[in-house]
Every structure is written in structure tokens, then in C-alpha cells.
Amino acid sequence: MIKIIRAEHIRQKILRLYFSDSSWGDYDLQPLIDRQTELTHSLNDDSYFQQFFLALGALCWRNGLELSPGSIHQKLKGRQQLHDETKVA
């Protein structure tokens, strides 16, 4: 089971996520925020957006929004935006 083990705010609505399989990728949440659902609306506020935290390997915010690490990992992999932390360029 893939977990997010570390997350860093990079810029705008992009987080760099580090996964338990030693991979990492930059995940842009703007497309999710653009849906303007009840849970994503508050992420428009930059200060609130940066208050993310990890719980049991998932990406979370205080309003109850919880994003699956496995789903994010698969999206990044499918877009070829997943990198191996053990390989140095």
C-alpha cells in the first residue's frame, strides 16, 4: 500500500509529494480546486491551502478533504511525472 510520507508546498497549488516506495512527484491541485466542490472551495485561499497535513499516509485538510495516496501516485505515474528518489540525475 502506497503512502505519502512527506509533502512540501512548491508554488501556487502544487505540492511535492514523497511516497513510501521512494518515488516523488509534483502534484498540481488546481484542476481539483477548479471543480469548486464544497470541500475544495476553501483551497482557493492560499493560507488555507498550505495548512495541509498527512494522516495515515493520505493528504488532508481540516475541512475533511482527504486525498488517496494511491490515486495520486497512479495519476502521477500515468502522466510520467513520478520520479525515483533513489536515482540522482
Side-chain angles (χ1 to χ4, degrees):
M1 175 187 252
I2 295 288
K3 293 183 179 183
I4 300 170
I5 57 172
R6 191 172 84 208
E8 302 169 357
H9 180 248
I10 301 298
R11 65 184 177 283
Q12 298 166 329
K13 303 301 183 191
I14 299 173
L15 300 178
R16 179 160 292 163
L17 303 175
Y18 296 86
F19 296 93
S20 57
D21 68 348
S22 298
S23 64
W24 65 274
D26 294 343
Y27 188 59
D28 185 357
L29 284 105
Q30 191 62 58
L32 179 65
I33 295 167
D34 287 345
R35 295 182 190 172
Q36 291 296 303
T37 67
E38 185 176 334
L39 289 176
T40 63
H41 181 72
S42 54
L43 299 183
N44 280 309
D45 178 87
D46 290 336
S47 176
Y48 186 83
F49 178 82
Q50 293 180 37
Q51 294 177 33
F52 60 86
F53 61 95
L54 301 178
L56 301 173
L59 183 61
C60 305
W61 282 266
R62 291 184 327 233
N63 66 354
L65 179 60
E66 182 177 314
L67 301 179
S68 161
S71 177
I72 294 171
H73 189 272
Q74 287 294 1
K75 286 178 185 176
L76 291 173
K77 186 176 182 179
R79 297 175 188 156
Q80 297 182 339
Q81 295 174 332
L82 204 55
H83 309 280
D84 186 343
E85 193 171 69
T86 61
K87 293 181 181 176
V88 178

